[in-house]
Amino acid sequence: MTDGRRALVIGASGGIGQAVTQALQARGDTVVTLSRQQDGFDVTDEAGVDRALAALEVPFDLVFVAVGVLGTPEKTLEAIDAQAMAQVFAVNAIGPALILRHMGRLLPRQGRSVCAVLSARVGSIGDNRIGGWYSYRASKAALNQIVHGAAVELGRSHKDSVVVALHPGTVATPFTADYAGRHKTVPPQEAAANLIAVIDGLSGDATGGFFDYAREAIQW
């Protein structure tokens, strides 16, 4: 990515989305934003997602998807609640899928473009050694599969596109305030700088991958 590119940030009113928006604008990018708080953009409203994305002027060199909900993390299997789990999946997995199905129009068919979707390391099945957090973990694992599949499909028509899932680390936002615990947190501005550096450095063979804020691959 270079100065002067067009970016779309979805979830721009959240801590990370807002910081990414500001960082992109500061370097000269034109940034279009969508969020529930500012625009009433609700990723669980299929028709609303379609209307909002169809109305945008395209293409974008970067689409950054920063939507998500934590819910109430379950400590045990007995704590799983069907309705609560369905809501977490609706926001964390189905919502991004509804966005991704527009990516063929949002990204240019020629020239490098990036679609980066915020995921989380806890969505890694191979990295899960303590259990718990069933809804959040499973929704992010589902999201990773959706992102990977989208990368495969888009690679056929948008050969220079890079579609990835990104783990931002533990960021000091209201989203993590009650659960950061002993994890080291970073301010949103630092997280945004890290994520943009990763996005700028991704090569074409990274598409379909799952990376952290230091561009290290995360096991599925």
Side-chain angles (χ1 to χ4, degrees), residues 21-211:
T21 297
Q22 292 171 347
L24 292 173
Q25 290 173 332
R27 74 178 192 178
D29 291 1
T30 299
V31 185
V32 177
T33 63
L34 288 172
S35 71
R36 183 164 186 161
Q37 182 176 332
Q38 297 170 343
D39 311 291
F41 183 80
D42 181 357
V43 296
T44 68
D45 176 3
E46 181 175 359
V49 170
D50 289 346
R51 284 195 301 271
L53 296 183
L56 297 175
E57 180 184 346
V58 297
F60 294 96
D61 302 288
L62 168 64
V63 177
F64 185 83
V65 182
V67 299
V69 65
L70 184 59
T72 302
E74 309 95 339
K75 294 183 178 180
T76 66
L77 287 166
E78 290 81 2
I80 292 173
D81 176 85
Q83 185 174 355
M85 178 176 273
Q87 179 61 25
V88 172
F89 266 79
V91 176
N92 291 352
I94 300 173
L98 296 176
I99 294 168
L100 284 166
R101 73 181 186 181
H102 289 265
M103 214 51 58
R105 174 179 173 272
L106 295 176
L107 300 180
R109 284 187 172 267
Q110 295 182 338
R112 182 180 185 271
S113 61
V114 177
C115 173
V117 183
L118 280 192
S119 184
R121 189 182 298 275
V122 295
S124 166
I125 295 172
D127 192 59
N128 182 0
R129 293 175 174 80
I130 62 173
W133 290 48
Y134 291 97
S135 297
Y136 189 69
R137 286 185 186 274
S139 68
K140 291 298 187 178
L143 172 64
N144 291 345
Q145 180 70 280
I146 293 165
V147 170
H148 184 80
V152 173
E153 181 175 343
L154 282 164
R156 300 182 186 124
S157 57
H158 298 62
K159 298 188 182 302
D160 299 315
S161 64
V162 180
V163 183
V164 292
L166 297 181
H167 167 62
T170 304
V171 185
T173 68
F175 185 91
T176 62
D178 294 334
Y179 303 101
R182 299 180 181 178
H183 294 281
K184 178 184 177 181
T185 61
V186 297
Q189 294 75 18
E190 182 177 340
N194 291 338
L195 291 168
I196 291 171
V198 171
I199 290 167
D200 287 347
L202 291 171
S203 58
D205 59 4
T207 194
F210 181 21
F211 301 95

Side-chain angles (χ1 to χ4, degrees), residues 8-22:
L8 170 64
V9 178
I10 300 176
S13 61
I16 297 175
Q18 185 177 62
V20 167
T21 297
Q22 292 171 347

